[in-house]
Amino acid sequence: MDVDLTETERLRTLDQQHVWHPYTPTDAYLKAKPLVIERGEGVYLYDSDGNKYLDGGSSLGVNIHGHQRPELNEALAAQAARIAHTTLYGMTHPGAAQLAERLVKLAPEGIDRVLFLESGSSAVETAMKMAFSYWVFKGEPQRNKFVSMTGAFHGDTTGALSVGQMTILKNFYQPLLRPTSAFAQPYCYRCTLCTDNCTLACADTLEEVLEREGSEIAAVLVEPRVQNVSGMVVARDGHLARVAEIARRHGVLLIADELGTGFGRTGPMFACEADGVSPDILCVGKGLTGGYLPLAATMASADVFDAFRGDGKMLLSGHTFSGNPLAVAVALASLDLFEKDDVIRHGQSLGVVLTEELDRFREVPHLGDIRQCGMLAAIELVQDQQTREPFPWDLGVAVRITDRCRELGLIIHSAPSDTIVIVPPLAMTEAQLREMMGILLQATKEVVASL
Ligand SMILES: Cc1ncc(COP(=O)(O)O)c(C=O)c1O
């Protein structure tokens, strides 16, 4: 491949002069030599210096079928030749009707309406407005509060941040946020509620919150099975079912945020399936278009939708690009690929390979915890294996590992508490997955040895 280094340097300079990067430390970025990703193919990313990387974070959890899938490219081009954008305000387009039908068929039983949006954060905000409005229409407008789990991440617009519980975000933005309540996350490695014999005591802490504040609560929000952004905190089987049972008994709505877990990441199409739970409201996005375009959806049960019927009632919510036809067309083609490539079964068999590969990390000094649910996994490193004390944060252990991975040809990300998160594209082959985990193991051992 011809590499134009001068052009790459020019782009880096332009970027550092004008682009403001999300969740990126400002000064460190301005001093760094940023990657310029120019092209993707399958599970690989190519930078403008001619280097090739495995896309080990699925480009923030969205890449399912691989980059540059001809079927998705063709669907996009065919839709662009018809219409690129039209609104869903008071009218429809063919793709919206077709995609809504297919999503309802795939979603847990009872989910039967789909409202399209463009990001996970807006899907969660819409779910919150939907739940609040539901209670207003039921004559209980005092239900304007939400409960979520400690460590939760539900997006980063201010409503979604209010129900997020990650300390760093909560502490910084507190003055802007609405009050919410929290119950304990299922972080077994650092759990102080149960000893070795898990009784799901973390889920039971929801009971106390609802006994205290239940009449003001509109809904409980939960990331089913895996808390993604806070470091792949994996709940035991039955956790979601327990949360759902408590929420139901107290008569509050259950919102499942499947942004991180949907579309086969944990094994089944949606993580709710594993515990047999049907939420009242389900938020999906990320892999909905196979990672091609921003599209998300807030889906609801007939009971929730029916509260909005009669007397000119409506949901006072929606965005300009809600249900954009290009994104919808790619989402339909992506669902076709799920069938054609048998993505769910392939992902499940790769999950077994991932378990084997994760086992090889047990010999790593300073290993704290290994967590996995299907094709989502994490390794957490600690200063002291006995006391589980974390490394001082300024040592930057996880960042050093992800930087070394990059030098070795793997793009992968870290989470708080020196945790490396593993989110491989579901289209990986077994050999590619083993190669990726081999790079991660080498980088981890090297960095740990250098401490
Ligand atoms: C569980 C969860 N909810 C919501 C979001 C927000 O999605 P978006 O970044 O598309 O706004 C994320 C993003 O990572 C997520 O993991």
Side-chain angles (χ1 to χ4, degrees):
M1 180 187 152
D2 290 336
V3 176
D4 185 345
L5 281 183
T6 324
E7 176 59 5
T8 300
E9 284 315 319
R10 197 181 74 83
L11 290 171
R12 281 201 183 101
T13 308
L14 284 181
D15 177 274
Q16 287 177 318
Q17 278 170 350
H18 299 297
V19 179
W20 195 333
H21 291 264
Y23 286 106
T24 304
T26 313
D27 281 0
Y29 184 83
L30 292 180
K31 281 189 216 130
K33 193 176 158 196
L35 276 188
V36 182
I37 297 294
E38 207 176 52
R39 185 167 76 80
E41 204 176 307
V43 299
Y44 293 100
L45 298 166
Y46 296 83
D47 73 12
S48 53
D49 291 331
N51 301 309
K52 174 179 174 182
Y53 306 88
L54 280 160
D55 185 7
S58 289
S59 297
L60 290 195
V62 301
N63 186 359
I64 306 258
H65 314 290
H67 299 282
Q68 291 286 355
R69 275 297 296 245
E71 296 90 335
L72 301 183
N73 292 358
E74 278 157 25
L76 188 54
Q79 181 60 45
R82 286 192 290 273
I83 185 167
H85 187 65
T86 170
T87 180
L88 287 180
Y89 285 33
M91 59 180 82
T92 195
H93 60 78
Q98 289 157 2
L99 182 59
E101 188 217 11
R102 287 183 72 177
L103 287 175
V104 164
K105 280 194 181 139
L106 291 171
E109 177 123 21
I111 291 289
D112 135 299
R113 285 279 158 182
V114 184
L115 193 141
F116 291 110
L117 296 139
E118 343 54 29
S119 73
S121 305
S122 54
V124 169
E125 297 252 351
T126 303
M128 292 167 69
K129 287 191 271 180
M130 228 178 230
F132 167 71
S133 313
Y134 170 89
W135 290 113
V136 170
F137 293 143
K138 293 266 178 190
E140 296 193 50
Q142 83 287 357
R143 288 188 183 267
N144 58 13
K145 281 178 72 181
F146 295 87
V147 190
S148 53
M149 289 191 285
T150 52
F153 181 80
H154 292 292
D156 84 344
T157 47
T158 45
L161 274 176
S162 295
V163 286
Q165 306 287 355
M166 288 180 73
T167 320
I168 183 171
L169 293 170
K170 196 100 196 165
N171 287 351
F172 191 85
Y173 284 114
Q174 192 64 60
L176 296 184
L177 306 181
R178 285 190 50 74
T180 43
S181 296
F183 67 107
Q185 66 182 151
Y187 195 173
C188 294
Y189 181 63
R190 298 197 180 276
C191 181
T192 52
L193 298 167
C194 313
T195 46
D196 289 343
N197 199 2
C198 176
T199 60
L200 295 176
C202 52
D204 290 339
T205 60
L206 175 61
E207 188 92 53
E208 295 154 32
V209 178
L210 294 183
E211 268 165 21
R212 204 174 53 231
E213 305 168 25
S215 60
E216 296 167 66
I217 303 294
V220 174
L221 277 105
V222 65
E223 291 160 89
R225 311 252 22 221
V226 185
Q227 286 185 305
N228 177 29
V229 177
S230 57
M232 300 302 167
V233 171
V234 177
R236 297 261 160 96
D237 287 350
H239 173 269
L240 182 64
R242 179 81 62 91
V243 169
E245 184 276 317
I246 296 170
R248 298 255 179 276
R249 192 154 31 76
H250 286 267
V252 302
L253 297 176
L254 180 69
I255 300 174
D257 173 356
E258 291 242 19
L259 265 300
T261 51
F263 300 101
R265 291 272 167 207
T266 66
M269 192 59 138
F270 295 110
C272 283
E273 282 176 44
D275 268 8
V277 165
S278 292
D280 301 290
I281 300 176
L282 174 70
C283 302
V284 301
K286 287 204 186 248
L288 174 53
T289 59
Y292 261 54
L293 284 170
L295 183 69
T298 306
M299 302 168 71
S301 67
D303 173 51
V304 170
F305 181 75
D306 286 347
F308 293 75
R309 307 273 318 266
D311 300 335
K313 288 177 194 157
M314 67 177 99
L315 176 69
L316 290 167
S317 190
H319 297 176
T320 306
F321 278 102
S322 295
N324 169 262
L326 292 174
V328 164
V330 184
L332 282 164
S334 168
L335 292 182
D336 289 342
L337 283 182
F338 264 92
E339 288 171 17
K340 184 174 150 226
D341 294 353
D342 208 353
V343 171
I344 295 295
R345 211 164 50 189
H346 178 67
Q348 287 169 353
S349 59
L350 279 186
V352 177
V353 176
L354 184 55
T355 309
E356 280 172 32
E357 290 294 320
L358 286 165
D359 264 349
R360 297 168 62 205
F361 285 75
R362 298 203 186 274
E363 70 199 53
V364 172
H366 295 288
L367 176 78
D369 194 20
I370 295 180
R371 301 186 278 274
Q372 185 199 3
C373 185
M375 285 288 275
L376 294 177
I379 53 163
E380 178 173 341
L381 298 160
V382 287
Q383 173 139 300
D384 186 321
Q385 289 177 307
Q386 239 61 51
T387 62
R388 304 185 176 186
E389 189 193 336
F391 285 107
W393 72 268
D394 55 350
L395 219 52
V397 174
V399 175
R400 288 203 223 172
I401 295 172
T402 54
D403 285 352
R404 179 67 186 131
C405 284
R406 201 176 274 194
E407 288 166 4
L408 295 169
L410 167 64
I411 293 184
I412 196 162
H413 303 285
S414 61
S417 305
D418 286 313
T419 298
I420 312 291
V421 292
I422 298 157
V423 191
L426 297 183
M428 268 192 171
T429 62
E430 178 179 335
Q432 287 164 337
L433 182 59
R434 290 198 192 278
E435 184 193 350
M436 164 177 162
M437 294 304 289
I439 294 174
L440 178 58
L441 183 61
Q442 179 187 336
T444 306
K445 282 181 173 168
E446 284 178 14
V447 169
V448 164
S450 74
L451 293 174

